[in-house]
Amino acid sequence: MSSTEYMECALSLAGLATGYASPNPAVGAVVVKKGTVVGMGYSQPAGSDHAEVVALRQAGDMARDATMYVTLEPCCHYGRTPPCTQAIINAGILEVHIALLDPNPLVSGRGVVELNGAGIRTFVGAYQQEAYQINEAYIKFITTGLPFVITKFAMSLDGKIATRTGQSKWISNEEARTYVHALRNTVDAIMVGVNTVIVDNPQLTCRCRCDKGGKAKKQPMRLVVDSNGRTPLEADVFRQPGRTLLAAVEPLDEERKGRLAEIGVQVLELPAEKGQVDLEELLKQLGQLGVVTLLVEGGSELLGSLFDRSLVDKVLAFISPIIIGGGQARSAVGGCGVDRIVEALCLERVSFKSFGDNILASGYVARGSARE
């Protein structure tokens, strides 16, 4: 294997930790000696071993005078675990190839300096773009304190997410829905608006087979944005394992808040913006709760409000080859929108993927761009 193949292997390992290690980054590490891989590892859940330590433990004594390939700069500070730089130095590693420097202010180049100071050669930048994409949510979170916001919706060819009567099951096909369940397994929280809960009564759980026992590695936090506390107490979203929150305009009726507490629902009382929950303040509070990746699954007005306020980072749009029609049928994105086409939000790094007869169009919201 070549040095590029070793880093590709480390990137594949990092992919296994996506969402699993949150709020820590997803990192992969490979230890190589005389052309043979002697250790591999990826980030374990927060508070457990980092990728470098897992790989070094597997390598054992073979780590001495070996080379390490790692997707993110090794940490050099004490957190829940000791610094990885010290573990690398103690193991006797000769050189370290790093795909991406860690933007965490506690690291941010200091890891490289510490390794160099111990006489370990470092090489930075191979597969930097790929390493960045794996940890795009972590990078936003660690530099801004805000979650990385992904919006997901399924629509017909004519842009509808439901018929005029509100019926929406199922616009996407089974393959697409299976993909979404796998996606849910990689995020920290799923957010929907109150109308989506009232109309569709979703569970908002991950139901994919993600480990040997056929269970998801974790259930994401569920969050209902419900300015006036209208969500039915018997809603399925409140009856699932894991943590459930309801975001409402302050102050919420004390009796209502007490009944929500009785069924295990935590209420976030937030300032109002035009009579609705202040979404920017909500994202700040979610960041304080350690939510790194937030998946927004509807409805139309919530999505529109997020787009209107430029709070979306990534868009996942499933397109089904059906025509719903009807002037009263709801479109995928509501809100105020824009007055002129040149003001429309643009996506960049757009890609397409097929799920049977459904197509997933995904891309990132371009900041400060115009169509003119």
Side-chain angles (χ1 to χ4, degrees):
M1 292 177 66
S2 65
S3 60
T4 58
E5 290 174 308
Y6 295 134
M7 187 59 82
E8 288 172 354
C9 179
L11 288 165
S12 295
L13 289 166
L16 297 175
T18 303
Y20 186 52
S22 184
N24 289 341
V27 181
V30 175
V31 179
V32 180
K33 187 168 187 178
K34 296 180 179 178
T36 300
V37 174
V38 295
M40 297 189 294
Y42 59 86
S43 305
Q44 299 301 297
S48 301
D49 291 331
H50 292 188
E52 300 92 325
V53 172
V54 175
L56 289 171
R57 182 179 297 117
Q58 188 178 101
D61 293 339
M62 295 294 288
R64 185 158 299 279
D65 298 329
T67 298
M68 173 176 282
Y69 295 81
V70 62
T71 59
L72 190 70
E73 181 182 12
C75 66
C76 55
H77 63 285
Y78 280 88
R80 298 185 188 182
T81 60
C84 290
T85 49
Q86 194 58 54
I88 292 169
I89 293 167
N90 292 343
I93 292 288
L94 277 183
E95 64 181 44
V96 179
H97 294 250
I98 302 165
L100 181 69
L101 293 179
D102 190 342
N104 185 340
L106 295 175
V107 187
S108 193
R110 294 184 179 87
V112 168
V113 170
E114 189 166 315
L115 293 174
N116 292 159
I120 299 173
R121 297 187 297 273
T122 57
F123 303 86
V124 180
Y127 287 90
Q128 179 174 298
Q129 183 175 345
E130 291 81 357
Y132 183 98
Q133 187 165 346
I134 288 173
N135 278 306
E136 58 192 5
Y138 162 79
I139 291 168
K140 180 187 178 184
F141 176 78
I142 205 67
T143 55
T144 68
L146 299 173
F148 186 84
V149 179
I150 304 170
T151 59
K152 187 277 296 181
F153 50 88
M155 65 182 185
S156 61
L157 279 176
D158 55 336
K160 307 297 186 181
I161 60 171
T163 67
R164 64 176 180 269
T165 63
Q167 206 273 332
S168 62
K169 292 184 178 179
W170 292 102
I171 289 178
S172 59
N173 63 21
E174 187 173 350
E175 288 182 56
R177 296 196 297 274
T178 298
Y179 175 86
V180 170
H181 280 292
L183 174 66
R184 287 177 176 179
N185 191 53
T186 68
V187 303
D188 297 307
I190 303 172
M191 184 167 79
V192 296
V194 59
N195 289 329
T196 295
V197 176
I198 291 173
V199 174
D200 295 337
N201 196 25
Q203 295 180 14
L204 302 183
T205 56
C206 172
R207 298 187 289 279
C208 61
R209 299 178 64 86
C210 300
D211 63 17
K212 294 179 181 178
K215 297 180 180 180
K217 293 175 182 175
K218 63 172 184 176
Q219 286 296 342
M221 177 193 297
R222 297 176 298 279
L223 171 64
V224 180
V225 180
D226 181 2
S227 297
N228 302 309
R230 297 187 294 120
T231 306
L233 295 176
E234 64 274 14
D236 283 350
V237 71
F238 294 156
R239 298 173 179 270
Q240 308 307 316
R243 190 176 180 184
T244 305
L245 280 68
L246 185 142
V249 170
E250 60 183 0
L252 183 63
D253 177 76
E254 287 296 329
E255 180 182 355
R256 183 68 171 173
K257 190 162 56 174
R259 295 182 68 185
L260 286 165
E262 288 175 1
I263 59 174
V265 178
Q266 180 183 348
V267 176
L268 296 179
E269 295 182 90
L270 297 151
E273 182 187 18
K274 297 180 180 179
Q276 304 296 316
V277 166
D278 184 329
L279 294 176
E280 293 188 44
E281 185 60 32
L282 173 57
L283 293 183
K284 289 178 184 178
Q285 289 209 20
L286 290 178
Q288 292 169 8
L289 291 173
V291 174
V292 175
T293 311
L294 176 65
L295 177 63
V296 186
E297 297 202 17
S300 174
E301 289 306 312
L302 177 58
L303 291 176
S305 294
L306 289 165
F307 280 113
D308 286 344
R309 291 158 180 77
S310 299
L311 299 177
V312 177
D313 296 294
K314 187 174 183 179
V315 177
L316 302 176
F318 290 91
I319 305 167
S320 178
I322 60 175
I323 304 293
I324 292 176
Q328 301 304 312
R330 190 171 289 275
S331 62
V333 180
C336 296
V338 298
D339 294 325
R340 302 184 301 153
I341 293 297
V342 295
E343 297 170 337
L345 289 175
C346 298
L347 297 186
E348 58 187 11
R349 290 180 282 157
V350 177
S351 62
F352 299 91
K353 186 174 183 178
S354 296
F355 294 90
D357 64 358
N358 282 200
I359 295 173
L360 170 61
S362 62
Y364 297 83
V365 176
R367 304 301 181 189
S369 65
R371 298 179 67 90
E372 292 179 301

